[in-house]
Each structure stands twice: as structure tokens, then as C-alpha cells.
Amino acid sequence: MVSQGYAIVEELAEFGATVHTCSRNQTELNDRIKEWENKGFKVSGSVCDLQVRADREKLMETVSLMFDGKLNVLVNNVGTAIIKESTEFTAEDFSALTITNLESAYHLSQLAYPLLKASGNGSIVFISSAAGVIALPLCSVYAATKGAINQVTKNLACEWAKDDIRVNAVAPGITRTPLKRAITEDFKNNEIMNHLISRIPIPRAGQPNEISSVVAFLCLPTASYITGQVYCVDGGFTVNGFLFGLPIRDLHSPVQSSSSIRDLGSPSSFSFSLQVFTLQVFNLFNHRDLLLFNQPLQALVQSSSIRDLLQFSASAFKSSTSSIIARLLLCFFLAVAGLLHYSRDITL
């Protein structure tokens, strides 16, 4: 399993770029550079802790000397995550995540600015996250730093366009990296991760090379008219509503544009309308409640008996933590929808 940084270095080097990278671990850095040299890549590196301001300044001084005061591409890939409930984050956690994920990338961009401007064709790519686009569990501070990166991307793109510097961000979804493996060593976190993966339209974790290829594209001349954009590379995760994850086989039934109002009473059309309408109803509920109510909705769409539907609904009602009004509203919706759905053939 390779890191995201490793994949990005290798992707750019394969395009013929001369790359300078950094790592906190001298031994690991030397091993990687030797490996890349054996492949014929032009890669060098510095030992640097990007959490330390002085190290960042020293790194960019080295880069300036190596590339004669000009730089075409800066990829801000550094990042870490701490997984906790929001009430459990400490001041130290907040500071560590902010410095690593936000301050370091912002400062490096400032330091690189004169070098990028001098090149006459500069490009910055921030590595953000899907967590900076949608809400995900147990990562509120991490998400805040990545959301900030997305906004910095837009601001710098507008400010520095006059200097021929493009600024974009790539926001990976769940990706098979050492960071993901470290997070999922905890059983609870692994369970959450598996659930999140099940919600991805392309239901798997991404690979580092699937992220690095987009990074490389944004660095190439072919992307010369692209700036200020945040590209989510996540298998469709960030565009998925509550519709995905419910049984959707009925959605593949053709619905003709010439259908009459009477046609909407057919089972396949009803299933489609039911699932689309749930998108609006579900806005009233929190994440855990959606999981609870998923079972009665599946019973409804799969044409289970009314008894099963009512049993599942009662169970979800008791376990729900949403307001009493929201719970009653959904149970009413299920009851009415169920009666309509089973009106032709009621089975007890």
C-alpha cells in the first residue's frame, strides 16, 4: 500500500517532471529516492517537518536554489486526521490539525508564489478531501481544515490569475492509503468506514493512482483554462443523496415520457416516486435515524407485508432521536404510502 504522496511523485515523474519531495523520515526518503532513480525518474528530496515554519522556509529555499528561482508546480499534499466525536477534541488536536492541514499548505503557497510567478506558468494543486465538501462522522475539525483549503483554492485562483498562476484542489474520497489503514485499525472506525463505502455509487475505496492522475492533469498545459476548481475524486460519494443505498432496482424500469397520470399508479412508477420523495422527507432527520428508517422503507419498496412494514416502522420510531413531530411525520408517510402501495392486494 503506497501513500498518496508517493503516487503523486511517481505520476509526475512519469510525465518527465523533475520533482523535489520531502519527508520527516530520512531513511524512508532515501529508500524512495533510490527506488525512483532505479526507474529512471528525476526525483530529489529533503527532510522536512511541515508542521514547523522554519522547516517550510528552509525547504523552499532549497527548491529555489535547485530550480534557479522558478517553479512550475506546487502540490500541497501534507495532511493528517484525528477521528473523534466533536465534544472530545482538545485544543491540542485542533491546533495540530489546523497547522498540518491548513497553515502549512497556505504558508508553502506564500513562499512558492514568487517562484511560480517567475516561471510564467505556475500551478498549485491542494489535496483536499470529500470531508471538506459534505458532512462525515467523527471528523469535524479535519473537515473544517479541508473546507478551508477549498476556499483558499478559490481565493488564490482569483488573486493570482493575473500572475499566470492557476490554483486548483483535488478532494479524494475514501482512498486506500496508510492513513486510511491507521484510522480503521479501531473496530468502530472500521465499521463506520465500511458503511461509508457502501454508500458510494462505485462501491469501493479509491486507489492512490486514481487521485494522482487527476493531480497530474491539473499540472499539465492541457488544463491551462482551469483554475479555482475543487475536483472530487470519490466514486460519486459527494453527489450521492439518500436515494443511493435504498433498493434501486426498480429505478431501472423504463418510465416513458408519454405516460399518463393514470400510469403513475403502477408499482414500478410508485417505487420511483416513493424513493425520490424520501429525499425531501429525510431532510428532517439525523444520520442515525436514516439508518433506522431504511429498513421499513426497504420493506415498502420490496412489497413486504403490511405487518412487516408496521413492525419495522414501530421499531424505528422507538429508536429514533429526532423530534416527535419528525418521527410522527415519517410514520404517517410510511402508513399512507403503504396503504396506497398495497391497496390492490393487502396481505396480513
Side-chain angles (χ1 to χ4, degrees):
M1 183 182 294
V2 301
S3 69
Q4 190 62 73
Y6 178 97
I8 292 171
V9 169
E10 189 148 303
E11 186 87 30
L12 292 173
E14 285 178 346
F15 276 98
T18 301
V19 181
H20 189 81
T21 186
C22 68
S23 171
R24 289 177 296 179
N25 188 311
Q26 178 75 70
T27 302
E28 182 180 282
L29 180 63
N30 291 341
D31 289 344
R32 297 290 82 78
I33 290 176
K34 184 176 180 180
E35 179 182 335
W36 287 321
E37 286 177 346
N38 290 337
K39 293 181 179 180
F41 298 152
K42 295 177 286 186
V43 181
S44 58
S46 300
V47 176
C48 175
D49 184 351
L50 291 176
Q51 290 182 309
V52 180
R53 189 176 185 87
D55 279 17
R56 297 194 293 265
E57 292 171 346
K58 183 179 179 181
L59 172 65
M60 294 312 297
E61 288 174 4
T62 300
V63 168
S64 181
L65 290 172
M66 287 189 62
F67 297 115
D68 299 322
K70 296 180 181 181
L71 184 65
N72 293 109
V73 174
L74 171 67
V75 179
N76 285 306
N77 178 65
V78 65
T80 190
I82 299 175
I83 304 301
K84 288 183 179 180
E85 295 283 354
S86 296
T87 53
E88 297 176 0
F89 277 100
T90 65
E92 290 75 18
D93 294 333
F94 192 93
S95 178
L97 286 171
T98 303
I99 291 172
T100 304
N101 295 353
L102 177 59
E103 181 186 321
S104 66
Y106 191 91
H107 186 213
L108 284 172
S109 299
Q110 289 177 310
L111 295 170
Y113 168 76
L115 310 182
L116 292 162
K117 182 179 179 181
S119 75
N121 183 29
S123 175
I124 298 175
V125 179
F126 291 100
I127 303 302
S128 179
S129 169
V133 179
I134 59 172
L136 294 176
L138 304 178
C139 63
S140 58
V141 180
Y142 173 80
T145 62
K146 294 303 184 178
I149 284 293
N150 293 346
Q151 189 58 46
V152 167
T153 297
K154 298 170 186 178
N155 279 77
L156 295 187
C158 293
E159 288 185 33
W160 294 353
K162 67 183 185 301
D163 302 309
D164 296 318
I165 300 172
R166 296 182 299 106
V167 186
N168 294 287
V170 175
I174 298 168
T175 311
R176 294 190 182 280
T177 63
L179 178 60
K180 173 185 176 292
R181 182 174 59 189
I183 291 172
T184 55
E185 285 178 352
D186 178 88
F187 175 78
K188 180 181 177 182
N189 292 343
N190 188 52
E191 191 175 23
I192 292 172
M193 190 71 72
N194 288 336
H195 171 69
L196 293 177
I197 291 174
S198 74
R199 301 281 300 168
I200 303 174
I202 300 176
R204 62 173 176 82
Q207 298 294 338
N209 67 299
E210 293 175 308
I211 312 302
S212 62
S213 59
V214 180
V215 174
F217 163 72
L218 291 171
C219 298
L220 294 172
T222 191
S224 59
Y225 199 55
I226 299 175
T227 194
Q229 304 305 306
V230 179
Y231 285 85
C232 294
V233 187
D234 59 2
F237 186 54
T238 51
V239 298
N240 173 34
F242 294 123
L243 185 60
F244 190 85
L246 294 174
I248 60 173
R249 58 182 181 276
D250 288 334
L251 297 182
H252 298 294
S253 300
V255 179
Q256 301 297 328
S257 59
S258 60
S259 296
S260 66
I261 297 297
R262 187 164 44 244
D263 292 332
L264 296 178
S266 65
S268 61
S269 297
F270 178 85
S271 297
F272 179 84
S273 302
L274 165 66
Q275 294 181 71
V276 172
F277 183 62
T278 58
L279 298 181
Q280 301 300 322
V281 176
F282 278 0
N283 287 333
L284 298 170
F285 300 90
N286 61 44
H287 177 73
R288 292 179 180 175
D289 289 343
L290 297 178
L291 299 181
L292 293 171
F293 283 108
N294 189 44
Q295 194 172 27
L297 284 168
Q298 285 187 19
L300 179 57
V301 176
Q302 293 174 353
S303 299
S304 300
S305 70
I306 288 182
R307 177 176 294 171
D308 288 341
L309 174 63
L310 294 177
Q311 286 178 345
F312 291 143
S313 299
S315 175
F317 182 90
K318 291 178 182 178
S319 303
S320 173
T321 59
S322 291
S323 68
I324 188 69
I325 295 176
R327 287 186 287 170
L328 287 171
L329 177 60
L330 183 54
C331 285
F332 174 75
F333 161 70
L334 287 170
V336 172
L339 287 173
L340 290 172
H341 194 42
Y342 298 119
S343 59
R344 296 183 181 179
D345 183 19
I346 296 178
T347 304
L348 293 174

